[in-house]
Amino acid sequence: MTMATLTVPAQVPSPAEDAEQLRKAFQGLISFCFSLPLRFELMKCYSVTWIHYREELLKTLDKELSSDFERVVLLWTLEPTERDAFLANEATKRLTSNNWVLVEIACTRSSLDLFKAKHAYQARFKRSLEEDVAYHTSGDFRKLLVPLVSTFRYEGDEVNVTLAKSEAKLLHEKISDKAYNDGDLIRILTTRSKAQLNATLNHYHNEFGNAINKDLKTDPKDEYLKLLRVTIKCLTFPEKYFAKLLRLAINKLGTDEWALTRVVVTRAEIDMQRIKEEYQRRNSIPLDRAIAKDTSGDYENMLLALIGHGDN
Amino acid sequence: MTMATLTVPAQVPSPAEDAEQLRKAFQGLISFCFSLPLRFELMKCYSVTWIHYREELLKTLDKELSSDFERVVLLWTLEPTERDAFLANEATKRLTSNNWVLVEIACTRSSLDLFKAKHAYQARFKRSLEEDVAYHTSGDFRKLLVPLVSTFRYEGDEVNVTLAKSEAKLLHEKISDKAYNDGDLIRILTTRSKAQLNATLNHYHNEFGNAINKDLKTDPKDEYLKLLRVTIKCLTFPEKYFAKLLRLAINKLGTDEWALTRVVVTRAEIDMQRIKEEYQRRNSIPLDRAIAKDTSGDYENMLLALIGHGDN
């Protein structure tokens, strides 16, 4: 989108105006939004003002840490692929680097959505996601992350059983040898379809006695092993992964608002219902109550609205 | 496309009918095509017969080696992205494996065309190109080829000069150490935009005295080094690469018809004019004359028609 072609109404604060004014105007807009159904694509399409706000807020967010409320609103207003591009970019930056976010985006989105996010990434940042991830990582992390964000995975549900058995055996050999960065292990995780991988990992579990993630927990503090387990969870059971991430974010001393916001915003209207079920099953407290206990004000209201407060 | 929905006219040979009959019908069709302008998309769209022929011929080609004429016609009739999918699939198969083809497709097509080819690959073969390449390669070849076919390269012409300098230095260090499979070297070649890479390699040449490909020729017989050089040529000067490939194909004892066909068909209407210029410059004989000397019959006619015989 080029700003040059937009006619901005007089009441919109110019980029030079003060952040406080922007925040106020924003809050008005948000109240207005809450009177609408959650999917407000129509408004997004028609409102030049809205587009202008988004651009302004993106600039603000690039410069300084905003409030949790601003962050959740911004992320919510972005198109899902634009949002993934924004989150992925943050995740490659030194101060906000976060490999889990990269794995999430690479492994829980559809192949086409990942592709679209990479397209949006190039449009906004004038570089490819691949080059930024490759440049900002090294060693085993790079070996795993670059193919994960690069691959265009097949999404059919065909399964080759012979292959599943041979690759389960191969994975087991490599893991027994503690060759966690082995080329074949990474090849299998980063290129096989989710259906095929699922068959392989089920066979692994049946044949060798443990779920693969259990065998990948030899050193619970090893960050690379953690990332491998996150990868496998995101590929095979994303709702469970997200429910756990929410639990960690909420139970953390001081709450991890970035993770909380990210999961709520990116999964709303996707698989939030199933995440809530997983959450309740594992924590014996509904997600909305857990969030309400740990957050407050506009931020709390926004999160609760997004997860569908009282829906289940 | 599903065959089930097509009504096939009575005169079309059924799959069970004999290849000879198919060949004859084909030849009639080809004569008809030559009376049309080269871009015959319209006919392709309207002719159910044509679609049927293509499907039949694809099946034939999958089963047995066809004549050079049949091969060039088939490849010519496929959509460019379907064709790349077909060629890439052949290139990953044991008997027809060819790493150069993979590099060509990964490095000389636009990012979007590569993506579309990967999409077509999945539709036809029910697997991803990435997984097939990863599965059928190993060692250094895999380390280079998988990211090459996976990456979605940025295509803008912005250049970061500081980065070009630092990465030229990094490349020079790795190459001086003969660390040709180094992670950073591969990262730079597989993720940077062509514009950025070009700046980096120009800086390399200026700063360290040799073109990078000269420094990568320490052992002229090393297949991996050859592939690295092919990668760099395809990324920075594709017409020169294709002209050289044509020279090798034509001058070879017995002519390499597969390479000849591939280059002519895939580059016709793209950059064939520039390839012809490069060819003439380097070989002091026009490409059409060189082809005419080495081929004959329908195959020769088809190649000459595709390169635009007498155009230059």
Side-chain angles (χ1 to χ4, degrees):
Chain A
M1 145 201 356
T2 83
M3 294 300 297
T5 59
L6 299 175
T7 316
V8 180
Q11 75 272 22
V12 175
S14 82
E17 275 178 75
D18 163 71
E20 190 49 36
Q21 208 173 331
L22 184 63
R23 232 185 310 272
K24 273 188 199 153
F26 229 120
Q27 239 140 1
L29 202 57
I30 298 307
S31 321
F32 171 65
C33 290
F34 273 115
S35 65
L36 289 172
L38 202 58
R39 27 178 73 264
F40 64 122
E41 266 63 13
L42 259 183
M43 194 186 71
K44 276 204 265 178
C45 293
Y46 290 112
S47 169
V48 168
T49 313
W50 188 250
I51 290 172
H52 184 76
Y53 274 124
R54 272 172 48 195
E55 286 299 312
E56 286 311 304
L57 198 61
L58 271 170
K59 282 184 209 149
T60 313
L61 277 183
D62 268 349
K63 270 179 273 167
E64 45 177 302
L65 278 186
S66 57
S67 79
D68 295 320
F69 174 65
E70 276 182 355
R71 187 172 165 84
V72 68
V73 171
L74 166 84
L75 288 176
W76 172 60
T77 61
L78 292 174
E79 295 292 334
T81 52
E82 266 186 301
R83 185 200 292 142
D84 281 349
F86 179 83
L87 290 170
N89 180 254
E90 268 187 351
T92 63
K93 286 184 179 166
R94 202 166 53 85
L95 290 176
T96 49
S97 86
N98 189 330
N99 292 333
W100 288 28
V101 174
L102 295 173
V103 170
E104 267 173 48
I105 292 173
C107 300
T108 71
R109 276 50 161 171
S110 73
S111 295
L112 197 60
D113 282 345
L114 172 59
F115 171 72
K116 286 183 189 163
K118 293 200 282 185
H119 211 271
Y121 192 101
Q122 297 192 2
R124 183 167 287 278
F125 303 109
K126 306 294 171 201
R127 292 185 308 275
S128 70
L129 175 59
E130 286 90 330
E131 72 187 301
D132 282 356
V133 172
Y135 191 57
H136 292 282
T137 54
S138 61
D140 291 347
F141 292 92
R142 182 195 284 170
K143 259 184 104 171
L144 175 65
L145 288 168
V146 175
L148 273 185
V149 301
S150 303
T151 198
F152 181 61
R153 243 178 248 271
Y154 177 61
E155 295 196 313
D157 51 16
E158 297 89 347
V159 166
N160 177 334
V161 178
T162 314
L163 188 69
K165 288 185 180 171
S166 70
E167 294 194 338
K169 190 159 168 284
L170 191 55
L171 288 175
H172 187 254
E173 281 166 19
K174 301 302 178 184
I175 292 173
S176 304
D177 293 349
K178 297 188 192 287
Y180 306 120
N181 66 356
D182 173 79
D184 275 312
L185 184 146
I186 288 175
R187 168 183 67 76
I188 293 167
L189 294 182
T190 59
T191 68
R192 292 304 184 196
S193 75
K194 291 179 187 178
Q196 180 67 35
L197 204 55
N198 213 50
T200 301
L201 299 185
N202 281 331
H203 189 77
Y204 183 106
H205 198 158
N206 298 341
E207 189 70 11
F208 306 109
N210 281 339
I212 188 169
N213 268 2
K214 195 161 176 201
D215 289 344
L216 288 172
K217 223 172 178 169
T218 43
D219 175 1
K221 290 202 169 153
D222 183 309
E223 290 297 325
Y224 173 70
L225 283 183
K226 269 190 208 169
L227 202 64
L228 269 184
R229 297 198 302 271
V230 164
T231 302
I232 289 165
K233 264 193 216 156
C234 283
L235 288 168
T236 57
F237 204 162
E239 309 92 277
K240 195 170 171 186
Y241 164 77
F242 286 119
K244 181 170 179 185
L245 198 60
L246 286 172
R247 178 162 62 91
L248 295 174
I250 293 170
N251 293 353
K252 207 173 170 181
L253 199 69
T255 312
D256 178 355
E257 283 89 2
W258 273 37
L260 181 55
T261 297
R262 183 176 85 243
V263 177
V264 168
V265 171
T266 60
R267 309 319 294 174
E269 301 182 66
I270 309 280
D271 52 3
M272 185 49 79
Q273 193 51 41
R274 300 191 57 191
I275 294 171
K276 281 156 81 175
E277 288 162 23
E278 279 299 315
Y279 191 92
Q280 167 117 36
R281 194 189 340 265
R282 181 66 182 74
N283 302 283
S284 312
I285 172 177
L287 179 59
D288 53 2
R289 218 180 315 146
I291 288 177
K293 269 174 62 182
D294 246 45
T295 57
S296 64
D298 291 332
Y299 181 56
E300 175 190 347
N301 291 336
M302 182 77 183
L303 292 179
L304 293 179
L306 286 171
I307 68 166
H309 183 38
D311 281 2
N312 61 345
Chain B
M1 142 202 355
T2 82
M3 293 302 296
T5 60
L6 298 176
T7 317
V8 180
Q11 74 273 22
V12 176
S14 84
E17 278 178 74
D18 165 71
E20 189 49 35
Q21 208 172 332
L22 184 62
R23 232 186 308 273
K24 272 190 201 153
F26 229 119
Q27 240 141 1
L29 203 56
I30 298 306
S31 320
F32 171 65
C33 289
F34 274 114
S35 66
L36 289 172
L38 202 58
R39 27 176 75 262
F40 63 123
E41 265 62 14
L42 258 182
M43 194 185 73
K44 277 204 265 179
C45 292
Y46 289 113
S47 169
V48 169
T49 314
W50 187 250
I51 291 172
H52 184 75
Y53 275 123
R54 271 172 49 193
E55 284 300 311
E56 286 310 305
L57 198 61
L58 270 171
K59 281 184 209 147
T60 313
L61 276 184
D62 267 349
K63 269 178 274 166
E64 45 177 303
L65 278 187
S66 58
S67 78
D68 295 320
F69 175 65
E70 276 182 356
R71 186 170 166 85
V72 69
V73 171
L74 166 84
L75 289 176
W76 173 60
T77 62
L78 293 174
E79 295 293 333
T81 53
E82 266 185 301
R83 185 200 293 141
D84 280 350
F86 179 83
L87 290 171
N89 180 255
E90 269 188 349
T92 63
K93 287 183 180 167
R94 203 166 54 85
L95 290 176
T96 49
S97 86
N98 189 330
N99 292 333
W100 287 28
V101 174
L102 295 172
V103 170
E104 266 173 48
I105 292 172
C107 301
T108 70
R109 277 50 162 170
S110 75
S111 295
L112 197 60
D113 282 345
L114 172 60
F115 172 72
K116 286 183 189 163
K118 293 199 281 186
H119 210 271
Y121 193 100
Q122 296 192 2
R124 181 166 288 277
F125 303 108
K126 306 292 172 201
R127 293 185 309 273
S128 70
L129 174 59
E130 285 90 332
E131 73 187 300
D132 282 356
V133 172
Y135 191 57
H136 293 281
T137 53
S138 62
D140 291 346
F141 293 93
R142 183 196 283 170
K143 262 185 103 170
L144 175 65
L145 287 168
V146 175
L148 273 185
V149 301
S150 304
T151 198
F152 181 61
R153 240 178 251 270
Y154 177 60
E155 295 196 311
D157 52 15
E158 296 89 347
V159 166
N160 178 334
V161 177
T162 314
L163 189 68
K165 288 183 181 173
S166 69
E167 294 195 337
K169 190 160 168 285
L170 191 56
L171 288 175
H172 187 254
E173 282 166 18
K174 301 302 178 184
I175 293 174
S176 303
D177 294 348
K178 296 188 193 290
Y180 306 121
N181 65 356
D182 173 78
D184 275 312
L185 183 147
I186 287 175
R187 169 183 65 76
I188 293 168
L189 294 182
T190 59
T191 67
R192 291 306 184 195
S193 75
K194 291 179 188 178
Q196 181 67 36
L197 204 54
N198 212 49
T200 302
L201 299 185
N202 281 331
H203 190 77
Y204 183 106
H205 197 156
N206 298 340
E207 191 70 12
F208 306 109
N210 281 338
I212 189 170
N213 269 3
K214 194 161 177 203
D215 289 344
L216 289 171
K217 225 171 176 169
T218 43
D219 175 2
K221 289 200 171 157
D222 184 308
E223 290 297 325
Y224 173 71
L225 283 183
K226 268 190 209 171
L227 202 64
L228 269 184
R229 296 198 302 271
V230 164
T231 302
I232 290 165
K233 264 192 218 156
C234 283
L235 288 168
T236 56
F237 204 162
E239 308 92 276
K240 196 172 170 182
Y241 164 77
F242 285 119
K244 182 171 179 183
L245 198 60
L246 286 171
R247 178 162 63 89
L248 294 174
I250 293 171
N251 292 354
K252 206 174 172 180
L253 200 69
T255 312
D256 178 353
E257 283 89 1
W258 273 37
L260 180 56
T261 297
R262 183 176 85 244
V263 176
V264 168
V265 170
T266 60
R267 308 319 293 175
E269 301 182 64
I270 308 281
D271 53 4
M272 185 51 79
Q273 192 53 41
R274 299 191 58 192
I275 294 172
K276 281 155 81 175
E277 288 163 22
E278 279 298 316
Y279 191 90
Q280 167 118 37
R281 195 188 339 264
R282 180 68 180 74
N283 303 284
S284 312
I285 172 177
L287 179 60
D288 53 1
R289 219 180 314 145
I291 289 177
K293 268 174 62 183
D294 245 44
T295 57
S296 63
D298 290 333
Y299 181 55
E300 174 190 347
N301 291 336
M302 183 77 183
L303 292 179
L304 293 180
L306 285 171
I307 68 165
H309 183 38
D311 280 3
N312 62 345

